[in-house]
Amino acid sequence: MAKYLYKLGNWSATHKKSVLFSALGILIVLAALVLYLKPAFNGELTIPNTPADKAAELIKEEFAGSAEQSTVNIVFKAPDNETLESEDAQRNITDVLNEISKDSKVASVLSPLELNNLNEDKTIGYAQVTFSVEADKVSEKSKQHILDSIKLTRDAGIQTEIRGGDIAFSDMEFEGIYEVIGVVVAFVVLAITFGSFIAAGLPILIAVLGLGISLIGIMIGAYFIDLNSISIILAAMLGLAVGIDYSLFIITRFRQELAKGNTVNNSIAIATGTSGSAVVFAGLTVIIGLLGLSVAQIPFLTLMGVSAAISILTAVLISIIVLPAILGIVGNRLSPAKENKFLQKLTGKNKRLDEAKANKWGRLVTTHPIIVSLVSIAFLAILTIPFFHMNLGLPSDGTAKSTEMTERRAYDLLTEAYGEGFNAQLVVAAKVDELTEETQLAAGEIVQEISDLEDVKAVSPPIPGPSGEIFMIQITPESGPDDIETKDLVNLIRDKSQATEKEHGIELMVTGSTAMNIDISQQLNDALPVFASLIVGLAYILLVMVFRSLLVPLKAVLGFLLSLGATLGFMVFIVQDGNFINFFGFPAQSPILAFLPVITIGILFGLAMDYEIFLVSKMREIYMHTGDSRKAILYGMRDSGGVVTAAALIMMAVFFGFMMNPDAMIKSIGMALAFGVFFDAFIVRMTIVPAVMTLMGKTAWYIPKWLDRILPNIDVEGESILHKEEAEK
């Protein structure tokens, strides 16, 4: 691998202008194609063929008259010391609803009085706007018309908010300012690391180029298949972070080779062959983790993994093809001798002094390996404790959206007016095996039995469908959509179905947001062991080939489990248990995002192996030359520790940028990855790994001779290249 990448780096540097202009040409062509196709993100966070999904489809088919329609609730709250029954309030509400009805796509409009839904003190009520098209076909123009219309009541002092159900009025926010902050921090870290503004800007430039190509490619894919918005945000998050990191590793090696007196092209070729090999295999581990998400057989999760994998693959290709071309153009301007003197003074950077001090942490860890290992492991284990009471769920308007969004304010008004259960309504499809004269009576008895269940606030009369074989029953719980009590109620009704089938021949199928959450969480939990085993197994085999050791990869995997447990435990402590949620900017205490553990495993495992490869490959290189295991650890910490630290800080900066986004879903993913990188890079890789390897000594590099003979020689360290260079000199 190393010698092929050596040749590729040399070719790119030789044909630097052609390579650079080709990459820019691809970007321009893809951008033009996106502007022509105008793709949209319409995918939903649902799983087909779950019990809740089957119930929803059954109701949709039976009550086909409403299947082609969609509804929006306009929630009103009267000014202080007034009610919605006053003449002024009624006149203003009527004016708004008349204005809304002017849209040709609006089939009907019903006022709060017509629906008879004012709360007890007559201060809150909601109107219902029905569109003649399905939710995903409601145009932006129609949505904007409603937003413009409600200004009439807002100007009159009546708080007016919109609850769109499947129609989004506050689309998922992707405010670039927050991500820019992360990039600025990354630039500062790079500037301090390299001591050069030019060198600091290059990784960001390369990452942005790769990100542009990958995101535009994903957007083109969204024209042909249904993708949800979170897919492109996750791809952007990872593509930007790893793009900067991978460029950092190659540029660092390039500057080292220049410092040795090598020519520009030769330095590029060596850097691509050595650090480029590590980039390829590090990227491969991340891609394995992301594609492994397909094991769960959940369409939206599979597409998220594929989208992010495309972003990672593009980052790798740009790093090993386009970056060498740009390095060829920049040339000796990146030489350590050309370092920015201002930054040297600012950071107090002195190469000799740095080399003397760089290994203080390595010496500390290798001198006290037992104490360091025990303290670090204990710290991560304590953080893991909250993980064991994790409650999974999907975001609702009450937990995922900030109070700046109209859906969240509408959610809060409806909760204030009708209780928490109003936003957690369940729908039961009562499916009759055989119609009899007693079917209607049996349906009524079932409604009464459901009414007697714990946590039930109200149950509607059974509504028969046209066929008479399906009855729709609406249930309002006492508790909210994310509460354990509501989940227990869903399970109680499903358990009751066995008795109603036996006694009345009627199956009870439950749907609604809480039922969907239960089914999605269950399917994810069922897939988790298989998914984790697959990616860990494949990565272990890959690392055995890379390091030619049985224990080093095992230690890497066990270290990952420690950082994963700490990450998920930390998320439960903050998000679910509600500790410091205001500090981190979460809108409300909420369950853990149902697919967050799976995504965290897939992504964090790949990133953890990135740092393992970059850190330990240097240790192996030294060990192969000296046979001294402690010296290998110290040299590896000295030569690779700094760049791994910088890479982790950059990764964290990018993820923290996304974590500052107001949307709770983006915030949760950004937070899990940011702290996951912190725990894994600084506590596991930079602390536990060298400490444990010190305790293992030469045993760490043990591999049976028969296995060593049959394993392919991957040569991540680029030994074949370095030996060739030495021979030529």
Side-chain angles (χ1 to χ4, degrees), residues 88-153:
D88 286 344
Q90 283 301 304
R91 184 180 65 256
N92 288 317
I93 290 173
T94 301
D95 289 344
V96 164
L97 299 182
N98 287 339
E99 185 65 27
I100 290 174
S101 64
K102 291 179 182 179
D103 186 346
S104 60
K105 297 298 183 182
V106 172
S108 66
V109 177
L110 296 174
S111 69
L113 290 185
E114 290 174 304
L115 293 169
N116 192 28
N117 62 26
L118 296 183
N119 65 335
E120 289 184 8
D121 60 9
K122 312 300 182 184
T123 57
I124 300 175
Y126 63 90
Q128 192 173 75
V129 178
T130 303
F131 285 95
S132 57
V133 295
E134 294 180 340
D136 60 351
K137 294 179 181 177
V138 175
S139 67
E140 293 298 321
K141 183 179 178 181
S142 291
K143 290 190 280 188
Q144 189 60 49
H145 178 66
I146 290 182
L147 289 169
D148 292 338
S149 298
I150 63 174
K151 292 178 182 177
L152 294 171
T153 43

Side-chain angles (χ1 to χ4, degrees), residues 260-559:
K260 294 177 183 178
N262 287 317
T263 64
V264 170
N265 277 24
N266 206 31
S267 297
I268 293 170
I270 294 173
T272 307
T274 53
S275 294
S277 296
V279 163
V280 169
F281 282 96
L284 184 60
T285 59
V286 181
I287 290 172
I288 287 173
L290 290 168
L291 294 182
L293 294 175
S294 61
V295 172
Q297 296 184 336
I298 298 173
F300 78 82
L301 198 59
T302 298
L303 291 174
M304 287 169 62
V306 171
S307 299
I310 290 172
S311 185
I312 300 297
L313 177 61
T314 306
V316 171
L317 293 176
I318 292 293
S319 296
I320 62 175
I321 298 174
V322 181
L323 177 57
I326 295 178
L327 291 177
I329 294 172
V330 176
N332 281 309
R333 279 173 286 183
L334 288 187
S335 171
K338 304 287 185 181
E339 284 181 350
N340 186 292
K341 293 182 178 180
F342 169 74
L343 279 175
Q344 286 180 347
K345 293 178 181 179
L346 180 67
T347 60
K349 192 168 183 179
N350 180 293
K351 282 181 107 42
R352 296 291 179 187
L353 191 61
D354 276 356
E355 288 180 4
K357 291 183 176 180
N359 225 17
K360 279 188 176 181
W361 181 249
R363 288 199 297 272
L364 173 66
V365 170
T366 54
T367 303
H368 308 285
I370 296 178
I371 295 175
V372 168
S373 298
L374 291 177
V375 171
S376 300
I377 292 171
F379 174 70
L380 294 177
I382 291 170
L383 285 177
T384 303
I385 293 173
F387 164 76
F388 295 101
H389 65 267
M390 178 183 288
N391 177 27
L392 299 178
L394 286 179
S396 67
D397 287 344
T399 57
K401 297 186 182 295
S402 71
T403 53
E404 297 175 358
M405 299 180 181
T406 187
E407 287 97 337
R408 169 60 187 277
R409 294 193 295 267
Y411 181 98
D412 291 342
L413 287 180
L414 292 170
T415 300
E416 179 186 342
Y418 313 111
E420 293 183 358
F422 182 85
N423 294 300
Q425 291 185 10
L426 304 174
V427 180
V428 174
K431 184 179 179 182
V432 181
D433 288 341
E434 184 179 350
L435 282 173
T436 67
E437 294 179 357
E438 298 180 352
T439 297
Q440 183 73 40
L441 182 62
E445 291 178 6
I446 290 172
V447 166
Q448 185 57 51
E449 291 175 7
I450 292 175
S451 300
D452 294 336
L453 293 176
E454 190 176 352
D455 198 51
V456 173
K457 183 176 182 179
V459 183
S460 71
I463 303 171
S467 69
E469 296 179 353
I470 306 293
F471 289 84
M472 183 169 64
I473 304 168
Q474 291 185 312
I475 303 168
T476 303
E478 294 280 358
S479 51
D482 302 315
D483 294 337
I484 296 294
E485 294 82 358
T486 311
K487 293 183 178 182
D488 291 341
L489 176 59
V490 172
N491 291 325
L492 279 173
I493 297 171
R494 286 176 170 174
D495 292 341
K496 181 174 278 297
S497 180
Q498 298 178 1
T500 58
E501 280 189 85
K502 184 177 181 181
E503 186 176 350
H504 303 294
I506 298 177
E507 180 185 1
L508 303 181
M509 303 173 68
V510 190
T511 189
S513 61
T514 303
M516 291 284 189
N517 283 354
I518 292 173
D519 295 341
I520 290 176
S521 299
Q522 185 59 52
Q523 189 155 337
L524 286 167
N525 285 336
D526 292 342
L528 203 57
V530 178
F531 165 67
S533 301
L534 176 67
I535 66 165
V536 169
L538 287 175
Y540 179 79
I541 294 171
L542 184 66
L543 291 177
V544 168
M545 291 190 292
V546 170
F547 295 130
R548 309 191 85 77
S549 163
L550 294 179
L551 296 180
V552 169
L554 180 62
K555 171 260 314 164
V557 169
L558 293 178

Side-chain angles (χ1 to χ4, degrees), residues 614-633:
F614 287 115
L615 183 65
V616 180
S617 61
K618 187 65 179 180
M619 295 180 185
R620 182 180 184 277
E621 180 184 339
I622 301 300
Y623 180 76
M624 291 296 102
H625 284 92
T626 66
D628 187 330
S629 59
R630 188 172 187 274
K631 185 177 182 180
I633 294 168

